[in-house]
Amino acid sequence: MTSKYPAPSSALAAVLALTLALGCQAGTIVGKVVGVADGDTVTVLDGDRVQHKIRLSGIDAPEKNQPFGQRSKESLSGLVFGKSVSVDTNKRDQYGRDIGKVLVDGKDANLEQVNRGMAWHYKAYAREQPLADREQYAATEQSARDAKRGLWSELEPIPPWEFRHNKKANQ
């Protein structure tokens, strides 16, 4: 039996396979947080004992060596470390981390970091968020700014993306 459709080229097949492997990471990871690297990155151990490095979506926390970096890490650790979480993910970053929203006891840990003044709403990637999340994260950041919570108690806090840029420029 012959098909009326031509067979895909091996190059096309390879591209499709890679796209499926890297681009379609949508899903939910359920497990226990076994590590907190900083204010926006955790490690989750799933039921199959596989570790997943998770970069919290929609936020950017201070780097470890900038003001509030350690406090941001401690805040996230208090929220999620040792706890069961569910991570809604749909993307991987250039470092192989799953990008996702971390839910602990039904609470959005990413949003709570913003609420505590321990992270910025990462507006450069806001279009990747659902509209409701985008609006809620922006409003929550403004509320934290107005109340001078966390990093907003500083006169002119430096966003982590600027801090990283300046650090690269000085090297």
Side-chain angles (χ1 to χ4, degrees):
M1 172 186 241
T2 59
S3 171
K4 64 179 182 178
Y5 301 104
S9 71
S10 59
L12 178 59
V15 169
L16 288 172
L18 185 61
T19 300
L20 290 173
L22 296 176
C24 299
Q25 298 299 327
T28 301
I29 298 167
V30 176
K32 181 177 182 179
V33 175
V34 295
V36 177
D38 55 31
D40 56 25
T41 309
V42 299
T43 301
V44 175
L45 184 66
D46 71 17
D48 293 328
R49 307 209 38 86
V50 174
Q51 289 189 6
H52 302 268
K53 196 78 133 174
I54 309 294
R55 171 67 165 78
L56 279 64
S57 62
I59 71 170
D60 200 6
E63 296 296 316
K64 290 180 195 176
N65 54 346
Q66 79 176 105
F68 281 90
Q70 186 60 34
R71 286 194 242 177
S72 179
K73 176 183 176 180
E74 291 167 2
S75 172
L76 183 57
S77 185
L79 278 169
V80 301
F81 185 76
K83 297 180 182 174
S84 294
V85 298
S86 173
V87 183
D88 295 330
T89 181
N90 63 0
K91 183 179 175 182
R92 279 218 172 114
D93 70 8
Q94 62 190 4
Y95 306 108
R97 300 175 296 187
D98 290 296
I99 307 295
K101 183 193 295 190
V102 177
L103 303 171
V104 59
D105 297 324
K107 186 176 195 175
D108 181 345
N110 310 26
L111 181 63
E112 184 58 24
Q113 280 288 88
V114 175
N115 183 51
R116 292 178 176 188
M118 294 296 151
W120 276 256
H121 174 219
Y122 206 175
K123 293 172 185 72
Y125 293 94
R127 287 191 185 121
E128 295 179 8
Q129 292 181 287
L131 180 60
D133 283 356
R134 190 179 329 152
E135 291 173 346
Q136 187 174 22
Y137 281 49
T140 299
E141 180 185 298
Q142 190 58 54
S143 174
R145 283 176 183 253
D146 293 345
K148 300 193 182 317
R149 284 191 296 273
L151 62 90
W152 303 113
S153 65
E154 297 281 307
L155 286 178
E156 292 185 27
I158 298 170
W161 54 90
E162 287 181 15
F163 183 84
R164 290 186 295 266
H165 177 76
N166 292 341
K167 187 175 175 183
K168 284 180 186 177
N170 291 331
Q171 289 179 348

